[in-house]
Amino acid sequence: MDTIGEICFMFTGIIETTGLIKNIAVSGTNRSFWIESSISSELKVDQSVSHSGVCLTVEEMNDNSHKVTAIEETALKTNVKEWKIGDVINLERSLKLDSRLDVHFVQGHVDTIAACTEINEKLGSWEYEFSFRKKFSELIIEKGSICVNGISLTAFDVKRKSFRVAIIPYTHENTNINAVQKGDLVNIEFDVVGKYILRKLSLKE
């Protein structure tokens, strides 16, 4: 199961660990993934977990692996259709009510995918540029929060159809951003606060 038609808890965009796709099964328009990780044995059936920014529901556990399924709607809006056996997936369990919020609220509801158009190494850090569809341009601002593959980042050099993010060594080493190459697709979730503001303004027209 996935987030369509369900309530997903909130996330922070701070990746807890990564998982490895061990098996993929396709049934009709659904795609099921068995993912091996250090937290899989601690998960519970029906628990919400962010998988590279996509909130998916745990269906089964087996030793150090867990199973999730993405339906067609999710596959159309995210990069899950690109996932392959051996791919690394960013994982984060949902936020607890007593947890400290170090970054921004992330819903696990991917808005769109973006293509990596440029990668520059900056003497110990990295800059990535991503391009996205123009229809989402009102949802991103300079120095605003942006979620890329489930990672909470700060956008800069924001243009009508592109933005850049800077990646510190820890994030580069401990998430799947290090596997992103030019031309790859990533999951993008825009800041939920901006969505509500834009919605309120649209109702005044």
Side-chain angles (χ1 to χ4, degrees):
M1 292 184 289
D2 60 13
T3 61
I4 306 301
E6 296 183 24
I7 296 176
C8 245
F9 293 97
M10 303 296 277
F11 304 94
T12 66
I14 295 179
I15 303 306
E16 189 173 352
T17 189
T18 57
L20 190 69
I21 296 179
K22 303 296 289 185
N23 189 40
I24 301 174
V26 179
S27 177
T29 58
N30 294 343
R31 293 171 181 264
S32 296
F33 303 89
W34 276 99
I35 298 173
E36 182 181 77
S37 77
S38 61
I39 64 171
S40 293
S41 62
E42 303 172 19
L43 301 178
K44 299 177 181 179
V45 171
D46 207 32
Q47 184 172 354
S48 297
V49 179
S50 173
H51 293 70
S52 288
V54 185
C55 181
L56 298 172
T57 302
V58 176
E59 296 179 318
E60 297 179 45
M61 288 86 66
N62 183 5
D63 296 328
N64 293 320
S65 299
H66 66 276
K67 177 188 175 185
V68 293
T69 296
I71 63 174
E72 182 181 20
E73 179 73 9
T74 300
L76 291 173
K77 291 185 176 180
T78 71
N79 69 358
V80 299
K81 56 186 173 294
E82 307 289 332
W83 292 1
K84 306 179 298 297
I85 292 175
D87 281 357
V88 174
I89 303 298
N90 294 329
L91 299 175
E92 182 194 352
R93 285 175 280 195
S94 58
L95 186 67
K96 295 180 180 179
L97 290 177
D98 61 350
S99 298
R100 177 177 293 167
L101 183 64
D102 292 320
V103 279
H104 77 288
F105 281 121
V106 176
Q107 294 182 295
H109 299 163
V110 174
D111 292 301
T112 188
I113 52 177
C116 179
T117 54
E118 189 177 329
I119 303 173
N120 292 313
E121 188 169 356
K122 297 285 186 177
L123 297 176
S125 64
W126 294 260
E127 286 185 6
Y128 288 72
E129 183 180 67
F130 297 100
S131 64
F132 58 93
R133 287 185 289 169
K134 181 182 176 182
K135 64 179 287 188
F136 295 103
S137 60
E138 294 179 314
L139 293 175
I140 184 169
I141 61 172
E142 187 74 17
K143 303 300 182 183
S145 296
I146 187 76
C147 191
V148 178
N149 273 359
I151 310 166
S152 178
L153 298 167
T154 299
F156 69 95
D157 194 19
V158 175
K159 299 176 182 177
R160 189 173 294 272
K161 295 191 295 181
S162 68
F163 65 92
R164 290 177 179 267
V165 292
I167 306 296
I168 63 173
Y170 181 86
T171 302
H172 193 267
E173 181 179 349
N174 291 281
T175 71
N176 67 6
I177 195 72
N178 58 42
V180 174
Q181 302 294 319
K182 188 175 180 179
D184 286 352
L185 300 176
V186 297
N187 294 319
I188 298 294
E189 181 183 334
F190 299 100
D191 189 4
V192 65
V193 176
K195 296 175 192 176
Y196 279 114
I197 293 173
L198 192 62
R199 169 65 174 167
K200 183 176 179 62
L201 292 174
S202 70
L203 294 176
K204 292 182 177 180
E205 296 179 354

